[in-house]
Amino acid sequence: MAPSQRTPHLVHTFYTQRWLMVESRALGMIYWGSLAFMGVWTIVQLLMSNGYVERHRPEVSVNFWQDKAVDGNWWYQNEEVPAYCDHKYYWGSGTEWGSEKVACVDPSTKPRSTFFYQDVTTASVATSIAYGTEWESNDIRLYKDMEKVTLAFQPSYWTNYETADIHGCKAYDLDGKEVRSRVLSLYPTRNASSATWQERDEYLILSLEDILGAAGRGFDDIGGEGAMLRLQGVELVAHFDVRNYHIPFHPSSEIECTVHFKVLRDQFTLVKRFYQYDEEVAVQYGIKVRVVSTGSIGYPCLRSFFETLVVGLGGLALAQTIVDFVAQFIHPHKVAINKASVDMLTLDRDDAPTKPEKPKDPEAKKNE
């Protein structure tokens, strides 16, 4: 059988790229629209979404401590008796837990008492104490002006590449308004006046009143169990969001830290139990702040840059494949398109160029 009459085997065939111009309004719009879309997408990923960085989710840990009260003293100085003192409260319809006169006690008069507690993700501040058991007590007292005491937040994070402290965190309330840190008012001479705001506002320091206000509540609000929040306490969530390389057209590695507070549980919030041997003798209630975190820390990476480019080029190739599929299998003139776009070429050993023979030596020819 002549080489031109052989039937090609599928495994032995391949296709070369061949430019074929097809005049079709619909396919032209699909083709150029796809090219424009993938081109814009690639630019957006590289410039607006900073597609050249490798992103990691940071694990955030916060260290807490009690700081000065809002007036600059360790405990808030107020000689007046607040209006919330000496009020009546009973839990439920009975009289097992409650008092006709919930008195106030000044925490500064109890130097050996503990009011602040913390662990890796939680800070608790006692605002009241009930002498007795959790279910039976008629001696209940409020810690006076505890809302004026401040709580300091020192956040840090770690990724696969680094561990670092986070400076300049900013807190916001439910309306998106910034709740300013009290570090400058408590420490007006902190560092030099020429230092940047981030350096001077090193840690986030907020009063308990600030924290509860950022969550949309107040200490004198009535909670879910019919008591003022300063008596029953409340559990809050402090949401730390830590990220960089997140602003379009702004390739900055500077870390932005934002904090939002929300109410998690509106009920009696137990802070600490006290025992004498194995018998419960007192229970503290108060504000409990739990830390949760989200975020994205980016590091410039050539691999991420080329991955974004490859995805963009792959999208262009996919668009070309879709156009070719429509043209060759769906278009009304698919027969003419296929005839113009595909030519059969069979290669055989007979088509290979032959090596020219070397001319014989005249002497050897004469001897023959």
Side-chain angles (χ1 to χ4, degrees):
M1 182 181 293
S4 60
Q5 296 176 342
R6 295 173 184 171
T7 301
H9 193 278
L10 180 62
V11 179
H12 302 160
T13 61
F14 67 95
Y15 293 88
T16 62
Q17 183 178 5
R18 180 177 180 181
W19 291 97
L20 178 66
M21 182 182 294
V22 181
E23 187 175 353
S24 173
R25 179 176 299 178
L27 289 180
M29 293 179 64
I30 295 175
Y31 179 76
W32 292 108
S34 301
L35 291 181
F37 174 79
M38 293 309 302
V40 172
W41 180 89
T42 303
I43 294 175
V44 167
Q45 290 298 313
L46 287 176
L47 299 181
M48 296 187 65
S49 299
N50 298 298
Y52 52 87
V53 300
E54 181 182 0
R55 300 189 179 275
H56 294 261
R57 185 186 183 279
E59 298 294 336
V60 177
S61 175
V62 180
N63 183 35
F64 309 91
W65 67 83
Q66 177 189 358
D67 215 293
K68 296 178 182 180
V70 295
D71 62 354
N73 298 297
W74 188 250
W75 295 108
Y76 187 73
Q77 302 299 314
N78 181 18
E79 300 297 334
E80 299 180 359
V81 179
Y84 53 78
C85 296
D86 301 329
H87 74 282
K88 175 183 176 181
Y89 175 78
Y90 285 101
W91 186 86
S93 57
T95 58
E96 292 81 9
W97 201 100
S99 174
E100 291 286 336
K101 186 178 180 181
V102 179
C104 290
V105 58
D106 191 343
S108 63
T109 61
K110 293 183 170 293
R112 295 187 178 182
S113 297
T114 303
F115 307 96
F116 282 73
Y117 307 90
Q118 71 154 11
D119 56 26
V120 178
T121 60
T122 306
S124 301
V125 184
T127 57
S128 67
I129 185 169
Y131 294 95
T133 67
E134 183 180 359
W135 306 106
E136 185 175 351
S137 173
N138 295 119
D139 186 3
I140 303 169
R141 302 176 188 181
L142 298 173
Y143 294 130
K144 177 185 171 185
D145 296 322
M146 286 298 289
E147 68 272 18
K148 304 297 184 181
V149 178
T150 61
L151 184 65
F153 299 82
Q154 182 189 12
S156 305
Y157 74 90
W158 69 91
T159 64
N160 293 335
Y161 290 107
E162 63 176 346
T163 60
D165 289 337
I166 305 172
H167 302 294
C169 286
K170 296 183 179 180
Y172 296 89
D173 61 15
L174 298 180
D175 297 326
K177 184 180 178 181
E178 182 182 352
V179 182
R180 297 297 293 269
S181 174
R182 294 184 178 269
V183 64
L184 292 182
S185 62
L186 297 178
Y187 303 97
T189 59
R190 187 183 184 91
N191 295 339
S193 59
S194 59
T196 63
W197 168 261
Q198 188 181 44
E199 291 171 342
R200 287 185 285 122
D201 194 22
E202 195 171 82
Y203 301 120
L204 180 65
I205 300 180
L206 300 172
S207 68
L208 298 183
E209 194 173 32
D210 295 334
I211 295 173
L212 202 55
R217 305 299 295 272
F219 267 77
D220 292 330
D221 291 350
I222 302 301
E225 301 203 45
M228 289 186 297
L229 295 184
R230 67 175 68 252
L231 173 60
Q232 73 163 46
V234 66
E235 189 168 352
L236 305 174
V237 168
H239 176 204
F240 280 75
D241 186 72
V242 181
R243 61 185 66 247
N244 63 357
Y245 290 106
H246 63 289
I247 302 177
F249 304 107
H250 185 62
S252 173
S253 61
E254 181 179 346
I255 294 176
E256 180 178 304
C257 171
T258 59
V259 187
H260 294 83
F261 297 94
K262 295 182 180 180
V263 174
L264 180 61
R265 295 183 181 90
D266 182 7
Q267 60 189 38
F268 271 92
T269 303
L270 192 148
V271 170
K272 181 70 175 178
R273 298 176 188 268
F274 296 92
Y275 294 89
Q276 186 175 14
Y277 300 107
D278 60 344
E279 294 184 2
E280 189 176 67
V281 295
V283 180
Q284 284 181 331
Y285 301 92
I287 308 299
K288 185 175 291 187
V289 181
R290 294 188 181 275
V291 172
V292 297
S293 64
T294 57
S296 172
I297 300 297
Y299 304 92
C301 177
L302 283 177
R303 179 173 58 84
S304 299
F305 174 79
F306 286 115
E307 283 180 354
T308 303
L309 285 183
V310 167
V311 172
L313 295 175
L316 296 179
L318 177 61
Q320 181 68 60
T321 302
I322 294 175
V323 171
D324 291 343
F325 177 82
V326 173
Q328 297 178 7
F329 296 98
I330 300 178
H331 197 274
H333 301 285
K334 59 184 179 181
V335 177
I337 294 174
N338 290 330
K339 185 177 180 181
S341 61
V342 179
D343 284 338
M344 182 64 67
L345 176 62
T346 302
L347 300 178
D348 196 65
R349 289 185 176 274
D350 297 338
D351 301 324
T354 58
K355 184 178 181 179
E357 294 184 1
K358 184 178 181 180
K360 292 184 177 181
D361 186 9
E363 295 295 333
K365 189 175 181 181
K366 184 183 296 187
N367 294 334
E368 291 177 357

